[in-house]
Amino acid sequence: LARHDNILQRLLDFKERLMFTLIADGAHLPRFFVENLVTALGEDRLIVVSDAIHAAGCGGGTFYLAGRPILVGPDGIPRTPDGLYLAGSGWTQRRMDRW
């Protein structure tokens, strides 16, 4: 990025009108970070979104997403079989809204 004239600097001109979206499921972002965002920005500037998969709220097990296995652990977090990547969210939108 250019040091002075870049997209981040230009966006800051609109800082009072910016809204922020987040996946508040404890896996994508830790709770302390979400709480810090609420404190810094206020609830009225945050939008909780979901990338819940069909296994959201179903508990642990093996599920298939686009024909590929997804493992949902006891923590309710869907991951690829190697455990390296998140595979969506295991929380429903309602649970995220209450968190």
Side-chain angles (χ1 to χ4, degrees):
L1 293 176
R3 183 172 174 199
H4 297 289
D5 185 15
N6 61 59
I7 188 65
L8 297 176
Q9 295 293 343
R10 289 176 185 230
L11 281 173
L12 288 175
D13 282 339
F14 299 100
K15 65 182 172 274
E16 298 306 319
R17 296 187 306 176
L18 290 178
M19 302 293 286
F20 299 86
T21 60
L22 55 111
I23 301 171
D25 65 358
H28 285 80
L29 298 170
R31 185 171 181 94
F32 76 88
F33 184 72
V34 173
E35 289 172 349
N36 286 339
L37 287 174
V38 170
T39 299
L41 301 171
E43 289 182 11
D44 58 328
R45 296 185 54 203
L46 295 173
I47 302 166
V48 177
V49 298
S50 175
D51 68 342
I53 64 171
H54 65 287
C58 293
T62 301
F63 299 87
Y64 290 86
L65 184 63
R68 298 174 187 248
I70 299 299
L71 304 179
V72 178
D75 58 2
I77 300 171
R79 292 187 174 87
T80 56
D82 59 13
L84 295 177
Y85 302 99
L86 294 176
S89 178
W91 285 21
T92 61
Q93 182 71 44
R94 185 178 308 269
R95 183 173 177 191
M96 283 186 237
D97 290 342
R98 287 191 309 248
W99 189 60

